[in-house]
Amino acid sequence: MAAPAATGTAGPPPRPCARFREAAPAARAMEERDTRGGFGKDTVDRLLRRHFRDRRTRVNGDALLLMAEMLKVFVREAAARAARQAQAEELRTVDMEHVEKVLPQLLLDF
């Protein structure tokens, strides 16, 4: 009977601090991007605070930028899917019912 193969690791896992340092340039890039049609940090902060149970909860600036970017992507995707739904129904305008039709799958996808 052969001896079991030795299991080894390629090296120590990256430290959490290193991962956060790597993410910082990406957050700066998001901040420097064109903000037309997006959500401002203040708006996102107010939206999040409406759902916090503890008023002392704080949100990092990078987290606000990331959340703003996610909201922007979500809204654009909802608009695109609603437009495709209207086209499938051979309509030239997008109505709220088109958004309602695509919303369940959109929420599952996110």
Side-chain angles (χ1 to χ4, degrees):
M1 200 186 275
T7 58
T9 59
R15 296 181 318 183
C17 293
R19 272 188 264 145
F20 291 129
R21 273 187 246 123
E22 292 170 6
R28 273 188 240 109
M30 280 192 288
E31 190 174 60
E32 293 169 0
R33 272 193 215 155
D34 189 15
T35 57
R36 283 181 301 189
F39 292 86
K41 285 172 67 173
D42 292 337
T43 303
V44 174
D45 189 48
R46 280 185 267 137
L47 283 171
L48 291 174
R49 290 191 183 284
R50 294 191 79 174
H51 300 286
F52 290 154
R53 292 177 190 216
D54 186 355
R55 290 188 172 262
R56 295 175 293 165
T57 302
R58 300 178 72 196
V59 181
N60 183 331
D62 288 342
L64 287 173
L65 287 173
L66 179 62
M67 191 67 197
E69 185 70 18
M70 288 183 64
L71 283 169
K72 184 169 75 172
V73 170
F74 183 82
V75 169
R76 285 184 177 179
E77 183 65 21
R81 290 184 187 197
R84 283 194 299 268
Q85 180 66 34
Q87 285 177 343
E89 296 176 9
E90 299 179 358
L91 297 172
R92 293 179 54 103
T93 58
V94 178
D95 197 5
M96 197 60 180
E97 80 177 43
H98 300 115
V99 177
E100 291 171 355
K101 287 180 180 177
V102 300
L103 192 59
Q105 187 62 47
L106 178 66
L107 291 173
L108 288 172
D109 291 343
F110 266 78

